[in-house]
Amino acid sequence: MKITALKTWLVPPRWLFLKIETDEGVYGWGEPVVEGRAATVEAAVKELADYLIGQDPRRIEHLWNVMYRGGFYRGGPILMSAIAGIDQALWDLKGRDLDVPVHQLLGGACRDKMQVYAWTGGDRPTEVAIGAKALVDKGFSAFKMNGTAEMAIVDSNRKIDEAVARVAQAREAVGPNVGIGIDFHGRVHRPMAKSLLRELEQFKPMFVEEPVLPEHLSSLKHIAQNLSYPLATGERLHTRFEFRDLLADGMIDIIQPDLSHCGGISEGFKIANMASAYDVALAPHCPLGPLTLAASLQLDAVCHNAFIQEQSMGIHYNEGNDVLDYLVDKTALSIEDGYIKIPSGPGLGVEINEEYVEERSKVGHRWRNPVWTNEDGSVAEW
């Protein structure tokens, strides 16, 4: 069996889909994308295709190393996201060829279903309490919210008070037993994080995500000592080597690799197993499309330290299309009582409606994240 083509489609709301085809008619789908840089990742996929055309797609580990090590420059969000989507498609292809789900190829499932959480509120959260209560009424036992809007490196106490008030409203609305993930989104710098992290302790968060920017994770030992709730990060880390250093530092309780950014299922599996050696939980990042979610669930199935899965159905970014729109069988990723059953179909366990993908690719997208400014006109973290 030989790879004959790598085909890509930019589709709404902000995704990039990939299909790998072979001379034997077996194929696989993946989702290589960086939010806001989809076209750049698409170009990287086309460059990596030079290493793949004519190769045996079943040699996944070998091809991964060719893509990663074959170029003198490696790592980073663009290259690792391109590799990630290709890797997902290769696993999907191999599973289809053998007529088994990917989790069977990774050792078999250790769970039947995966707890998931949903988002409430937008980038600048306001009425989060109403949205949180609505999610709980739908059967979710956990949700995530943005903790704060833009915040200067040293800002007013008012910004902290506003963030605390929003979390207080959410906690009051859902009661004490619903998990609340609070995403700082890297918007809070070290001087403000010290106070805010401790102010939130009274609400017993499920976790606080990206408490500081990835480039400042070393500061956690100074600002987060003795907190009684878990800290989570990892969506903007791209290799096992970055996660190795994070885990060795001992300040993170939950890692959140994104299987469309961290080198795919192959690298994600290594990262997850490495985290288990530090007794660190796994909660893959996934504000993306159906292929990233399906790949994440295949990984969750085989990782005992996986405890919850992000998914983006109904998220505020999904304008024009949502996660299930591109599936032939929408029940493959259906949520029941806050859980998704581990997909049991071959490969990633989902079938993409290629005709619909072609149709929506004519619309495409040029999604960009907002660029925010502080009150003085300086650029703020989004």
Side-chain angles (χ1 to χ4, degrees), residues 60-170:
I60 298 174
E61 186 68 16
H62 171 66
L63 294 178
W64 196 98
N65 279 289
V66 168
M67 291 187 289
Y68 180 78
R69 302 179 190 282
F72 184 73
Y73 298 98
R74 59 187 67 167
I78 301 303
L79 291 176
M80 294 306 292
S81 297
I83 291 173
I86 293 170
D87 180 81
Q88 292 170 12
L90 291 173
W91 279 107
D92 188 41
L93 189 155
K94 189 164 188 173
R96 291 175 184 276
D97 183 45
L98 298 173
D99 196 28
V100 294
V102 168
H103 65 256
Q104 289 287 14
L105 303 176
L106 296 175
C110 66
R111 56 176 51 86
D112 303 318
K113 58 184 181 179
M114 190 67 194
Q115 184 183 14
V116 297
Y117 64 84
W119 268 90
T120 185
D123 285 335
R124 289 186 175 94
T126 52
E127 299 298 324
V128 295
I130 296 172
K133 182 65 167 59
L135 291 172
V136 172
D137 290 343
K138 290 180 180 178
F140 287 96
S141 57
F143 65 90
K144 188 164 76 175
M145 57 179 285
N146 271 312
T148 179
E150 60 268 52
M151 185 174 283
I153 188 168
V154 177
D155 214 318
S156 66
N157 289 328
R158 174 179 60 84
K159 292 285 187 75
I160 291 178
D161 292 342
E162 289 173 351
V164 170
R166 280 192 293 270
V167 177
Q169 291 166 6

Side-chain angles (χ1 to χ4, degrees), residues 222-242:
H222 304 293
I223 65 176
Q225 291 282 4
N226 302 317
L227 287 175
S228 62
Y229 59 83
L231 296 179
T233 197
E235 68 187 73
R236 288 191 270 186
L237 303 181
H238 307 107
T239 68
R240 78 194 85 148
F241 310 110
E242 292 171 288

